[in-house]
Amino acid sequence: MSASRLAELLETRLPNGVATRARALLRTQDALDRALPPALTGHVRVVQLENGTLSVACESGAVATRLRQQTPAVLASLGKRGVDAGAIRVRVDPELRARYVPPHEKPGMPSKALEGLAHLNAEIEDGPLKEALGRLLRHHRGR
């Protein structure tokens, strides 16, 4: 779900207290994404910010360990971005990892197009273009 669509949902369908809290968490997530080292950005999600403790979920133990090592720098950066957090509570949640989506089958090149390329290949002089067309035709004809 895009951020703009989520913002629209928050403003139209949720009770005011929930919408306010959700917007605060979105702002905190944005600040966290900017405070994290590039290698960790996108692998850490804000769970809650309560009593000065920022609770986050990491997609793997390796990310959690790296975040724990970077905690002082991340907290300092968050403070500069207006997030009042004195500690970070880290937990691992493998469900954050993107699910494997098998590749979809692509339709092959239409036979009319293959015929046109074969005709062009027969008419042009030897050279790199003819070799490339030959490889393309062999690939699509399965030879």
Side-chain angles (χ1 to χ4, degrees):
M1 177 178 284
S2 71
S4 62
R5 188 147 152 74
L6 181 59
E8 177 185 314
L9 175 70
L10 293 175
E11 294 193 17
T12 60
R13 301 225 171 99
L14 294 177
N16 194 30
V18 174
T20 302
R21 184 165 172 83
R23 276 193 289 279
L25 287 175
L26 285 172
R27 282 192 300 274
T28 304
Q29 180 68 52
D30 183 56
L32 179 64
D33 287 341
R34 294 172 192 273
L36 288 171
L40 299 182
T41 302
H43 303 284
V44 180
R45 295 284 176 255
V46 171
V47 176
Q48 72 179 18
L49 176 59
E50 199 168 283
N51 300 327
T53 300
L54 177 64
S55 297
V56 297
C58 300
E59 69 178 33
S60 70
V63 171
T65 299
R66 178 116 186 251
L67 178 59
R68 285 182 186 110
Q69 293 170 347
Q70 302 279 328
T71 296
V74 171
L75 285 173
S77 185
L78 285 171
K80 291 176 187 174
R81 289 174 170 76
V83 177
D84 185 27
I88 298 178
R89 182 179 305 134
V90 179
R91 68 179 172 90
V92 177
D93 184 359
E95 293 295 317
L96 293 177
R97 189 171 291 223
R99 302 251 186 263
Y100 173 75
V101 177
H104 65 280
E105 287 295 318
K106 296 178 186 175
M109 192 177 288
S111 58
K112 198 102 164 137
L114 287 173
E115 289 171 16
L117 288 173
H119 180 70
L120 175 64
N121 193 35
E123 291 182 352
I124 61 174
E125 298 176 11
D126 288 342
L129 179 59
K130 186 170 183 96
E131 291 171 15
L133 280 173
R135 283 192 305 271
L136 180 67
L137 289 167
R138 281 192 301 278
H139 173 77
H140 282 280
R141 289 184 175 155
R143 289 194 218 164

